[in-house]
């Protein structure tokens, strides 16, 4: 039996894998053989700073042996490694899919930390909107129309 910790967007085995470690919505702690699990909301997700370290402390305190996620940031990575926790990466799918990949041995060991805030996607964008709405459409709407055999 191995105690897995999988980052998740929701509290069930059918929830999507969350690609972020420190700012994931939930940690799903799973027994790799029986699939008995506990879903723990990540209290560090909305922290102004230090989310990775706080998340790592939660995972260590819950006795995880393996973390499965998309990416672990530069502060949490050494904290997990120094605690003897194996870090495996995967992308997409559900928590259940990640467990199956773990059982098959198809997950990859994280060689190094990923970028901080990977996958957050909350930027405002920089498009300047210079299109100015000058599209003409198919016919341009400039004709007078034709009302049948007599003309206009």
């Amino acid at each position: 039996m191995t105690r897995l910790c999988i980052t998740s967007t929701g509290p069930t085995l059918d929830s999507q894998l969350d690609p972020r470690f420190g700012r994931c919505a939930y940690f799903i702690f799973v027994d790799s053989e029986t699939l008995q699990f506990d879903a723990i909301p990540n209290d560090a997700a909305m922290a102004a700073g230090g989310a990775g370290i706080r998340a790592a402390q939660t995972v260590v305190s819950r006795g995880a042996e393996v973390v499965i996620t998309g990416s672990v940031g530069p502060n949490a990575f050494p904290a997990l490694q120094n605690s003897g926790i194996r870090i495996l990466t995967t992308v997409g799918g559900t928590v259940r899919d990640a467990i199956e990949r773990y059982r098959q041995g198809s997950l990859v060991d994280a060689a190094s930390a990923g970028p901080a805030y990977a996958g957050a996607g909350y930027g405002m964008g920089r498009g300047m909107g210079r299109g100015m709405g000058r599209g003409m459409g198919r016919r341009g709407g400039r004709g007078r129309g034709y009302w049948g055999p007599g003309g206009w």
Side-chain angles (χ1 to χ4, degrees):
M1 174 203 111
T2 302
R3 184 146 167 92
L4 307 175
C5 173
I6 303 169
T7 57
S8 174
T9 60
T12 70
L13 296 182
D14 294 316
S15 298
Q16 291 295 307
L17 181 87
D18 195 323
R20 305 163 298 171
F21 174 75
R23 297 195 182 271
C24 69
Y26 287 88
F27 293 114
I28 308 288
F29 293 92
V30 184
D31 179 314
S32 63
E33 292 176 13
T34 67
L35 296 186
Q36 289 183 345
F37 72 96
D38 295 317
I40 309 297
N42 180 9
D43 294 334
M46 302 308 280
I53 295 293
R54 286 178 53 189
Q57 290 169 342
T58 298
V59 170
V60 169
S61 72
R62 297 277 180 168
E65 300 168 78
V66 174
V67 166
I68 300 172
T69 188
S71 178
V72 176
N75 294 326
F77 191 85
L80 292 171
Q81 276 194 323
N82 292 339
S83 297
I85 296 175
R86 186 175 176 199
I87 303 166
L88 301 175
T89 59
T90 188
V91 292
T94 64
V95 171
R96 195 179 302 275
D97 295 336
I99 296 166
E100 188 57 34
R101 289 182 207 139
Y102 172 79
R103 287 176 165 178
Q104 295 170 352
S106 63
L107 298 178
V108 177
D109 278 289
S112 62
Y117 308 112
Y122 294 113
M124 292 298 290
R126 301 230 185 234
M128 300 304 286
R130 301 280 186 215
M132 307 291 278
R134 291 195 180 119
M136 293 296 286
R138 291 200 167 190
R139 296 288 180 216
R142 297 186 188 268
R144 295 164 93 185
Y146 178 72
W147 293 96
W152 311 99

